[in-house]
Amino acid sequence: MELVISILKIVIGFLLLIKGADFFVDGAAAIAKKLGVPQIVIGLTIVAMGTSAPEAAVSISAALKGNNGISIGNVLGSNIMNILLILGITSVITVLHVKRDTVRTDIPFMIFSTILFIVWGSVFGKLTRFTGIIFLLLLVAYIGYLMWYAKSHDESGEVTKDVKTWLIPIFVLGGLAAIIFGSNITVEGASAVAKTFGVSDRVIGLTIVAFGTSLPELMTSVTAARKGNVDLAIGNIVGSNLFNILFILGITSVIIELPYISSAANFMIDGFVALYAAVLLWVLTVKNKKLGRVGGLIMLVSYAAYFVYLLF
């Protein structure tokens, strides 16, 4: 009976995370639109932050409850899943065209952030408050660059949903409330299931929780691709992965130290898989500025191999 309740918690938590992120994105994007913030900044910051909100809520909640393995596992699992599974699925559905500046700047910065995370965790064995401060400063610098880029390049990106002014605070606050509440019961349910089957927090964070918190990215990317906004699909994933590392792990490690290599969990291999995924995305898009069906299949096969590794 306890197992059934735990599974129900995960399902209900995921539903709240998905709908909460959906409302939050619409509300936040509407605020940016009314303030006259450029569309490219909305796509790479507001939307990316909104779809990363579930990861943030789950990681911080898990860390505060002592499930540190879920915190880092959730971020690494989400970043791996975002590229190999979500972009893999999306590019099989339709060819994804990538902007030149995304290949030149955004994807390389994502690779740099991933390398910094891996090296820091490998050398010191944990993420400390100082780590978090550095990650957050890098995020501020990246957002500053995006603002400068938006002013010097008049380009359109994300098409925002038209939300009535009086509904905007309800969308934002209600979405955040659903995300926070959903993350709490998801962590509780996932931790209970892990203990029942003797599965480590690391594996649960890398798989079940990562998939649940990556659903907003999956929905956003597939929907964008189907509507013809194919450049948004990759921009959303790259932005989300950057926020996952620099914002989520930055904030979480400022609150509490996160072990990267410990007796309870070792994320060395998972970190290198996340780096492999980021580099693979760059390699597949750098020449032709697009991600096609063949590239998508390579990504899906790569994720299948990684999933088998986790199981065995």
Side-chain angles (χ1 to χ4, degrees), residues 119-141:
V119 170
W120 195 293
S122 301
V123 172
F124 298 103
K126 61 185 177 181
L127 303 183
T128 63
R129 182 169 294 173
F130 184 60
T131 319
I133 292 172
I134 290 177
F135 282 4
L136 292 173
L137 288 175
L138 282 173
L139 179 61
V140 170

Side-chain angles (χ1 to χ4, degrees), residues 131-174:
T131 319
I133 292 172
I134 290 177
F135 282 4
L136 292 173
L137 288 175
L138 282 173
L139 179 61
V140 170
Y142 176 67
I143 293 175
Y145 158 76
L146 286 180
M147 295 296 291
W148 167 83
Y149 179 89
K151 289 180 180 179
S152 58
H153 297 74
D154 185 18
E155 299 180 15
S156 60
E158 162 79 339
V159 178
T160 60
K161 183 177 179 179
D162 194 18
V163 180
K164 293 180 179 179
T165 304
W166 68 273
L167 279 176
I168 291 176
I170 296 176
F171 272 48
V172 174
L173 298 177

Side-chain angles (χ1 to χ4, degrees), residues 7-23 54 175 178-179 181-183 185-186 211-213 215-216 219:
I7 294 174
L8 281 174
K9 281 184 176 181
I10 294 175
V11 173
I12 294 171
F14 282 170
L15 291 174
L16 286 170
L17 286 170
I18 295 167
K19 294 309 296 179
D22 191 26
F23 280 107
I179 288 169
F181 182 67
S183 71
I185 61 175
T186 299
F211 178 72
T213 55
L215 284 174
M219 293 176 66

